[in-house]
Amino acid sequence: MQWIEKLRALAADADFRQGARDMASPSLGLAAWGLVAGVTMVKGGLSIPQAMGMSLLVFAGSAQLSAVPLIAAGAPLWVLLATAFCVNLRFVIFSAQWRHYFGHLPRLRRLMTTYFAADLNFAYFVKRYPGAAPSAGQQRYFWGGVAVNWPMWQVCSFTGILLAERIPPHWGIGFAGVLALLGISYSLLTERTLWWVAVTAGAVSVATYSLPLKLNILCAIVAAGAVGWWLDARKAQQQRKARA
């Protein structure tokens, strides 16, 4: 069939294969994080169908793990929505950058791309293509990363969902997931601004930990976003002065 031939050609493409290879390097950490997300959703009170649906529809581990404790605590809907919105605010920044590469694509294809776009996809993509302009091979490289990232997350998340009641607490899988996330986060800290953002988020989250309904997460996100915005604005201003 024609679509099978297209898939074979895509799998043999050098850019597609490079995207898959790059995404394979952090796959163990991603697998652990997906497993933790699956277990947490079920332990947090979601049924197996609800947890599976959330994994497929949301496809955002940080938002999922932020929402589950709020659902279990009976938090108001506005708090749940505000938390998920704030946790995913980084994707607004990512999308603004993706626009330089994929803004010329048809709307339907852009919408499909936004569903599969994730933190690691963004980090490896901009590292390979630092120039914010479309060029040959970019889409194939992106989908090569997706071919590893999305199935890995869903398989491990579903495994955690199905085995949640059989995994004893003393295994410390939650802590293993935290360590995996820290490892992934560390790999993304490639410049001074990102380090300041990460330190700010951690410090504010700890300082406001006593707030109810996990509102310390919102505080950390707002503070880190403000610091990142201020540092980027300051850097842009310095660059304009240097050019002048």
Side-chain angles (χ1 to χ4, degrees):
M1 296 179 67
Q2 187 175 7
W3 65 272
I4 295 179
E5 294 300 325
K6 289 182 178 180
L7 288 177
R8 288 177 179 174
L10 182 62
D13 183 82
D15 293 304
F16 182 90
R17 296 172 68 126
Q18 185 61 51
R21 283 195 295 268
D22 288 348
M23 192 58 60
S25 59
S27 59
L28 289 179
L30 182 66
W33 191 234
L35 185 66
V36 170
V39 172
T40 302
M41 285 189 287
V42 175
K43 295 288 188 181
L46 297 183
S47 66
I48 290 179
Q50 288 173 336
M52 289 182 172
M54 189 176 193
S55 180
L56 290 171
L57 293 175
V58 178
F59 185 44
S62 55
Q64 291 170 225
L65 294 177
S66 300
V68 169
L70 297 176
I71 295 173
L77 181 60
W78 72 267
V79 174
L80 179 64
L81 294 176
T83 301
F85 176 78
C86 290
V87 167
N88 284 334
L89 271 177
R90 67 192 187 280
F91 286 103
V92 176
I93 301 174
F94 293 170
S95 297
Q97 187 71 6
W98 286 121
R99 180 176 175 271
H100 297 296
Y101 300 97
F102 298 146
H104 63 286
L105 298 176
R107 179 176 299 176
L108 182 60
R109 189 178 299 180
R110 280 182 280 141
L111 290 173
M112 183 171 63
T113 300
T114 58
Y115 168 75
F116 289 103
D119 304 76
L120 291 175
N121 299 83
F122 178 80
Y124 283 101
F125 187 92
V126 297
K127 182 178 180 180
R128 181 172 175 84
Y129 301 103
S135 64
Q138 289 177 347
Q139 294 182 54
R140 295 189 295 273
Y141 179 85
F142 174 84
W143 290 112
V146 169
V148 174
N149 185 38
W150 190 85
M152 177 68 71
W153 175 266
Q154 299 300 345
V155 168
C156 293
S157 180
F158 275 41
T159 301
I161 291 169
L162 295 174
L163 299 180
E165 300 302 332
R166 300 185 181 183
I167 297 177
H170 66 266
W171 281 16
I173 190 171
F175 184 64
V178 171
L179 292 179
L181 184 63
L182 287 175
I184 293 173
S185 300
Y186 179 77
S187 68
L188 300 178
L189 300 178
T190 56
E191 57 181 84
R192 183 179 299 178
T193 298
L194 296 176
W195 275 101
W196 277 112
V197 169
V199 170
T200 301
V204 173
S205 178
V206 172
T208 58
Y209 183 77
S210 60
L211 292 176
L213 300 177
K214 303 292 184 180
L215 290 176
N216 62 314
I217 298 175
L218 287 177
C219 295
I221 293 170
V222 171
V227 169
W229 175 82
W230 179 75
L231 290 174
D232 281 341
R234 183 181 178 185
K235 182 178 179 180
Q237 185 179 20
Q238 290 174 346
Q239 291 175 344
R240 286 195 296 269
K241 288 182 178 180
R243 288 194 295 267

